[in-house]
Amino acid sequence: MSVPTKSIIDTRRYQMFPTLEPAEIERVRRFGEVRSYRAGDALAKVGDKGHGLTIILDGKVDITQHDESGPRRLIVTQNRGEFIGELAQLAGQPALVDVYAQGPVEALIIPPERLRALLVAEADLGERIMRALILRRVGLLETGAGGPVIIGRAEDGDVLRLEGFLSRNGHPHQRLNPATDLEAKALIERFHVDPGELPIVLCPGGQLLRNPSENELARCIGLVGPIDPDHLYDAAVVGAGPAGLATAVYAASEGLSVLVLDRRSFGGQAGASARIENYLGFPTGISGMALMARAYNQAQKFGVEMAIPDEVKRLEIGSNPDNGKFVLTLSDNERVSARSVIIASGARYRRLNVKNLEAFESSSVHYWASPLEGKLCAGQEVALVGGGNSAGQAVVYLAGQVAKIWLLLRGGDIQASMSRYLVDRIAGLTNVEVVTHAEITALEGTDGTLEGIRWRQGALGKEIRRPVRHLFLFIGAEPNTDWLRGSGVTLDAKGFVLTGGNAASGRGPLETSRKGVFAIGDVRSSSVKRVAAAVGEGAQVVAALHAFLAPALPLQAVAAKH
Ligand SMILES: Cc1cc2nc3c(=O)[nH]c(=O)nc-3n(C[C@H](O)[C@H](O)[C@H](O)COP(=O)(O)OP(=O)(O)OC[C@H]3O[C@@H](n4cnc5c(N)ncnc54)[C@H](O)[C@@H]3O)c2cc1C
């Protein structure tokens, strides 16, 4: 008999929906303004931006989930002393739920920037509110409430791409199967969608997208908006991996205005790690996504602006390099101006040198092993190439989901490149078979679906074929530095960014050959490729930022920032 899993709303209700005491409400009144509503008025509607936190002073409100085909679903009713909001309110992003007054309501409205000030100024109360906002987002993620609806087959490469994008950005969504779901069929008919145009995405605001890019989807659901080209940020951080997020948190908490850009999602490579076991302070390990989501929320709490997904294509340096302004050009030709730039663009996965790899990359070849991929491969036979720690972690995670894993190593000794604890764990997994000196010789399949792979063990070994439908590649990384071409930032022979004395004389430890441009984390030449090292460099660079920016800032501002 299967045990029904309890939703987070059942298990953490008291933390998700706390009631503020009258004295607490009095303390936070200074952050907002009081507004009155009549019965039936909307306090917030899905897609509306910039609401902030709403504390009910009198009356009752219903929080409901918008449903395309049926009646509105009540999530919860909030009474006097309770508050409305979830994580989107921290950054002024669109509301994910509708809120209606049951009768006359009086409420204290705290806009996003004042909410962030409240969270910092009122430590204990701020912690309770922040926890509630996070748990509410988790609740929405569980149910998919308030997010876009993707209509397409689970194994379709574009569905995987869009679902992966939304999951990695911590955004709720639902997927409907066009073959079996009546609601999906109704929507396809209503919008006259040809089967060849699937997947389609229905945004909460009612817009329909046909197989959108990640950027189109992000704009439709309000994850990114236009950037003001006239605003001069103190620091523009390129990359929202652990290094970039650490800089963002420390710089913003010390008063600098910070914009973080990432072309994919927050978390970087660390976000792809099924379980990080060597990060200080987490003795039982933590999933990379959970660690990075905490950092992302923390950065938003301190007022960091996020432009995700937005790809930086070029860096231009102002005419006065000692005190100049830097301009970043984005893929859609938008421009960002900043007084300093932090290169935290990390590294990307190396691809396998097999001729038809690209044909299978959207649905059968994976560079991550998250629960999404785990579900996709459940009960099947898979192959994984790689001998480093990231490969080891993926094997340990996938072994619990799949029937069999072939771990293909180019070298002859797994211990040469993998930490001892992972080697030991893999040795204890009965469904993992390690093949040394292996080289993949062919990928077979049709219409982008892998049906089998062939490999040879040693140059003279015989070719082996297995009916593997999913291939995981963890074969190292190359630096993301293409966008620095023409910027004057010096790279080493492998394309990593040089810093300190290796870049130019008189440069600080994390400074590049261009003054005011810093490099941290995996993208930096000779860096230690670890989450903790990236976070450490992200924190360390903030002192260098202050030193560089101080002469450019008015004296009053400098005093306020320290
Ligand atoms: C599967 C896996 C498991 C791992 N497990 C561990 C572990 O257990 N312990 C550990 O210590 N380390 C682990 N690592 C290594 C660790 O994740 C990295 O060292 C760390 O993430 C580096 O952080 P970073 O911020 O420097 O760069 P990254 O994490 O690479 O982040 C860089 C970010 O920059 C963005 N970006 C790149 N170019 C651009 C551009 N032009 N415009 C905008 N954005 C851009 C990318 O999208 C990316 O999000 C693992 C790595 C992987 C892949």
Side-chain angles (χ1 to χ4, degrees), residues 238-245 261-279 310-313 344-349 367-369 389-391 393-394 421 474 480-481 483 520-523 528-535:
V238 182
L245 288 179
L261 303 116
D262 198 295
R263 65 180 174 195
R264 193 181 161 91
S265 58
F266 68 79
Q269 298 169 75
S273 173
R275 191 141 212 96
I276 298 176
E277 302 209 33
N278 58 357
Y279 191 70
D310 251 334
E311 179 166 8
V312 178
K313 285 290 192 190
S345 49
R348 64 176 174 275
Y349 315 111
Y367 296 86
W368 317 70
N389 278 355
S390 54
Q393 288 169 359
Y421 79 96
F474 289 87
N480 289 320
T481 46
W483 61 281
I520 53 172
D522 276 18
V523 76
V528 176
K529 310 292 188 263
R530 287 278 181 275
V531 176
V535 169

